[in-house]
Amino acid sequence: MSMLTHRLEQPFHPPGRKSAPEAWISNAHAATIRRVCLRTLALLSMGSVLTALVALKTVIYMSGFHY
């Protein structure tokens, strides 16, 4: 059984070495990725607000029919 789990005994991040994502992502790339993620989040938020407004207008319109 120790043959199957021998790699689990080693630490995932040795103290003297950077983790894998930090090793290959430079500061410029990290800033670009952060900017793209924030813009995507803003776009999804605006879509959610637009959907909520359409639903609210529909409920208000349908309430005029006394359903």
Side-chain angles (χ1 to χ4, degrees):
M1 189 63 170
S2 65
M3 185 173 82
L4 298 175
T5 60
H6 76 281
R7 295 200 40 95
L8 294 176
E9 296 169 359
Q10 298 173 355
F12 289 114
H13 300 290
R17 203 181 94 196
K18 286 186 172 182
S19 65
E22 293 172 357
W24 60 272
I25 296 179
S26 67
N27 289 337
H29 288 146
T32 302
I33 291 170
R34 188 177 304 119
R35 187 171 42 244
V36 167
C37 289
L38 287 175
R39 287 182 182 176
T40 303
L41 181 64
L43 185 65
L44 291 174
S45 298
M46 287 187 286
S48 299
V49 169
L50 183 62
T51 302
L53 286 174
V54 168
L56 182 63
K57 281 187 166 190
T58 303
V59 167
I60 292 170
Y61 179 76
M62 294 303 276
S63 69
F65 292 118
H66 303 292
Y67 282 118

